């Protein structure tokens, strides 16, 4: 009886003794578990293949321009989604929509004009292409749908005088260098 009590006491002591099954925040359910990690997907982007030194120089300049303008294109895409959700849910009346769009145009102008003034002509042209890439519509189509055909024609003419085209579209095959730089940007190579 005494030996049996000792055995039961030792068994209770072993059961109550907690074995540390945590490792840097991970909890193992038992001692025979296998350590497991879920890793995020990593895209490996091979270097761009240049035909000659001139193309490499163009790529390097384009990389600088894309890194400066692509964040603006992302902002345009985000702002467009915000405006569309506001117009669909709150401003359903035509006069309220027009007032809201005018107010939003002024807000965007005040918020981003200083940064946009720092872009050179080449970066401005690139931004027009990137806006088409992010939104699926050319800047001309966006202006026409929100501000009307007359405004769109005015801005298209003004852009044309500076050598830009509001109807410039983005094609991943034609703009392979830009697409390669954006893929690298999204993969986090430029942080």
């Amino acid at each position: 009886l005494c030996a049996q009590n000792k055995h039961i006491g030792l068994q209770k002591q072993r059961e109550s003794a907690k074995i540390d099954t945590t490792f840097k925040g991970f909890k193992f359910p038992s001692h025979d578990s296998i350590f497991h990690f879920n890793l995020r997907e990593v895209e490996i982007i091979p270097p761009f293949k240049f035909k000659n030194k001139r193309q490499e120089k163009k790529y390097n300049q384009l990389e600088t321009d894309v890194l400066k303008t692509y964040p603006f294109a992302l902002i345009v895409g985000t702002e467009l989604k915000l405006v569309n959700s506001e117009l669909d849910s709150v401003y359903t009346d035509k006069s309220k929509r027009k007032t809201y769009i005018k107010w939003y145009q002024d807000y965007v102008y005040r918020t981003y004009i200083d940064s946009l003034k720092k872009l050179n002509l080449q970066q401005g042209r690139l931004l027009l292409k990137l806006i088409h890439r992010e939104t699926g519509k050319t800047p001309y189509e966006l202006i026409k749908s929100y501000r009307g055909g007359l405004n769109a024609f005015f801005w298209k003419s003004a852009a044309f005088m500076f050598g830009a085209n509001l109807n410039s579209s983005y094609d991943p095959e034609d703009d392979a260098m830009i697409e390669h730089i954006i893929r690298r940007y999204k993969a986090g190579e430029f942080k």
Side-chain angles (χ1 to χ4, degrees):
L1 189 61
C2 189
Q4 190 178 14
N5 286 341
K6 276 187 178 181
H7 179 70
I8 291 172
L10 287 173
Q11 188 175 356
K12 285 182 181 179
Q13 195 177 19
R14 270 184 280 201
E15 289 174 0
S16 67
K18 297 204 176 193
I19 300 171
D20 187 22
T21 59
T22 58
F23 177 74
K24 294 186 180 182
F26 294 101
K27 177 109 172 116
F28 294 106
S30 67
H31 66 280
D32 63 345
S33 297
I34 297 173
F35 202 56
H36 175 75
F37 283 105
N38 286 329
L39 300 174
R40 67 179 180 90
E41 188 177 314
V42 177
E43 182 180 7
I44 298 173
I45 302 165
F48 194 82
K49 294 181 179 165
F50 303 111
K51 295 176 185 173
N52 51 36
K53 282 286 191 189
R54 195 168 125 211
Q55 190 181 33
E56 184 177 0
K57 186 177 177 182
K58 180 182 176 185
Y59 181 90
N60 292 334
Q61 180 59 47
L62 199 55
E63 184 178 287
T64 304
D65 293 344
V66 167
L67 292 178
K68 193 168 184 178
T69 57
Y70 188 61
F72 288 118
L74 292 174
I75 290 170
V76 169
T78 305
E79 296 282 342
L80 186 63
K81 288 176 187 171
L82 178 69
V83 166
N84 285 336
S85 67
E86 288 284 319
L87 290 175
D88 291 342
S89 62
V90 180
Y91 302 101
T92 55
D93 184 21
K94 189 173 183 177
S95 64
K96 288 181 181 179
R97 287 173 74 94
K98 190 173 183 179
T99 305
Y100 175 73
I101 290 172
K102 180 66 177 151
W103 171 83
Y104 207 81
Q105 179 184 344
D106 293 338
Y107 162 75
V108 168
Y109 182 82
R110 287 190 315 271
T111 306
Y112 300 110
I113 193 64
D114 292 334
S115 300
L116 292 172
K117 283 181 179 177
K118 295 176 184 174
L119 299 179
N120 62 33
L121 186 60
Q122 185 64 29
Q123 292 166 344
R125 287 185 195 134
L126 179 60
L127 179 59
L128 296 175
K129 281 188 172 201
L130 293 176
I131 287 172
H132 181 249
R133 182 187 188 276
E134 289 303 309
T135 64
K137 292 184 175 183
T138 64
Y140 178 79
E141 294 169 338
L142 291 172
I143 295 170
K144 187 175 180 181
S145 64
Y146 290 101
R147 297 294 293 153
L150 190 59
N151 271 318
F153 178 75
F154 168 75
W155 286 110
K156 183 179 177 181
S157 301
F160 183 75
M161 287 192 296
F162 289 102
N165 182 5
L166 291 184
N167 278 324
S168 57
S169 60
Y170 181 82
D171 181 17
E173 291 176 10
D174 292 341
D175 301 316
M177 281 194 226
I178 298 171
E179 188 64 28
H180 186 265
I181 295 166
I182 291 173
R183 284 180 59 216
R184 287 179 52 214
Y185 178 85
K186 287 184 175 182
E189 282 191 37
F190 299 109
K191 290 184 180 185

